[in-house]
């Protein structure tokens, strides 16, 4: 299955998936392109080092919305993309992309949705909110992405404990580790129908 990854930041989730493909644990999956709204994204750097096309597309490169949407669809077609993975992508995908790839766009969120999601729930904001709520559990959610932040149907979650003395950073690192272990398994299930 031909995959495009959308990422805005460091790209550790992208790297974790790539490692699983390289090690042979995740079969029949190929990352054909990495797309970022941030020209300095670590994810683009990782892609370049692995000879994967690394593409910067944003309001700066494409100030006209219609052209931006059209070129994004063309790009996905050019690489024969069948599955889209959002991995720390800070923007919503254009609705034309969401409808073209219905049930083929996944996102990972660093908390147990439907709580702790939405527009401003990203990065440390999420882990701060979890700690302030007094919840005893957190963990990543993989869900279908739609036109709203963090609202598509939930596919799979992993639970990690919230421990005494946790700071947002410590909890965030624990959740991120669980993300790396969860995302590729969901992809494996979609691509190969197996549940690792
Ligand atoms: C992850 O916590 C992910 O859940 C969220 O953004 C972060 C991306 O981290 N959507 P990375 O760029 O994959 O390291």
């Amino acid at each position: 299955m031909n995959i495009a990854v959308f990422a805005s930041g460091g790209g550790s989730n992208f790297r974790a998936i790539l490692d699983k493909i390289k090690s042979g644990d995740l079969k029949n999956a190929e990352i054909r392109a990495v797309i970022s709204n941030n020209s300095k994204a670590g994810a683009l750097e990782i892609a370049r080092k692995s000879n994967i096309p690394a593409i910067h597309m944003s309001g700066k490169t494409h100030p006209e919305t219609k052209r931006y949407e059209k070129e994004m669809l063309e790009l996905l077609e050019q690489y024969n993309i069948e599955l889209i993975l959002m991995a720390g992508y800070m923007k919503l995908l254009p609705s034309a992309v969401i409808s073209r790839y219905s049930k083929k766009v996944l996102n990972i969120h660093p908390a147990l949705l439907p709580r702790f999601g939405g527009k401003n729930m990203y990065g440390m904001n999420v882990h701060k909110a979890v700690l302030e709520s007094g919840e005893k559990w957190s963990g990543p959610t993989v869900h279908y992405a739609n036109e709203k932040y963090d609202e598509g149907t939930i596919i799979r979650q992993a639970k990690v404990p919230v421990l005494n003395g946790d700071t947002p950073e410590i909890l965030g690192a624990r959740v991120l580790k669980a993300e790396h272990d969860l995302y590729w398994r969901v992809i494996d299930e979609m691509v190969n129908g197996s549940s690792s």
Side-chain angles (χ1 to χ4, degrees):
M1 195 174 279
N2 295 332
I3 297 174
V5 172
F6 282 73
S8 304
S12 71
N13 274 285
F14 160 48
R15 189 196 295 271
I17 294 162
L18 193 58
D19 286 348
K20 288 293 175 187
I21 293 174
K22 286 184 178 166
S23 69
D25 292 323
L26 178 53
K27 295 184 177 58
N28 306 315
E30 189 186 341
I31 299 178
R32 302 288 309 266
V34 175
I35 300 164
S36 183
N37 59 319
N38 170 11
S39 63
K40 298 197 169 56
L44 290 181
E45 193 52 39
I46 298 169
R48 279 185 211 108
K49 284 190 181 142
S50 295
N51 293 318
I52 295 170
I55 299 140
H56 172 218
M57 274 192 96
S58 70
K60 278 191 193 147
T61 59
H62 294 73
E64 271 177 62
T65 314
K66 283 270 171 256
R67 233 191 95 210
Y68 168 77
E69 291 191 10
K70 189 168 168 279
E71 289 193 16
M72 189 175 280
L73 277 173
E74 283 169 2
L75 193 73
L76 296 170
E77 256 169 47
Q78 180 192 333
Y79 288 104
N80 288 317
I81 299 303
E82 300 167 282
L83 177 67
I84 293 176
L85 304 176
M86 296 169 81
Y89 190 60
M90 301 301 282
K91 283 179 67 126
L92 291 170
L93 286 179
S95 51
V97 172
I98 297 286
S99 43
R100 161 73 182 75
Y101 284 90
S102 162
K103 292 275 180 193
K104 295 286 177 193
V105 187
L106 307 186
N107 181 42
I108 188 158
H109 182 77
L112 297 171
L113 293 174
R115 295 197 65 198
F116 310 110
K119 195 167 189 311
N120 293 312
M121 280 296 178
Y122 61 87
M124 286 304 136
N125 293 352
V126 178
H127 307 299
K128 260 184 219 153
V130 171
L131 289 176
E132 279 163 14
S133 75
E135 287 287 333
K136 293 280 167 260
W137 294 93
S138 188
T141 300
V142 176
H143 64 97
Y144 291 111
N146 61 22
E147 283 100 335
K148 294 196 182 132
Y149 285 103
D150 307 322
E151 280 194 18
T153 308
I154 291 169
I155 302 172
R156 202 154 143 181
Q157 299 181 306
K159 281 170 99 184
V160 304
V162 177
L163 301 176
N164 282 341
D166 270 356
T167 61
E169 289 74 17
I170 292 171
L171 176 60
R174 193 178 303 125
V175 172
L176 190 62
K177 201 156 168 271
E179 292 182 40
H180 298 162
D181 192 50
L182 178 70
Y183 212 174
W184 79 274
R185 293 178 196 277
V186 176
I187 301 159
D188 191 26
E189 210 167 303
M190 287 201 82
V191 173
N192 298 307
S194 55
S195 183
S196 315

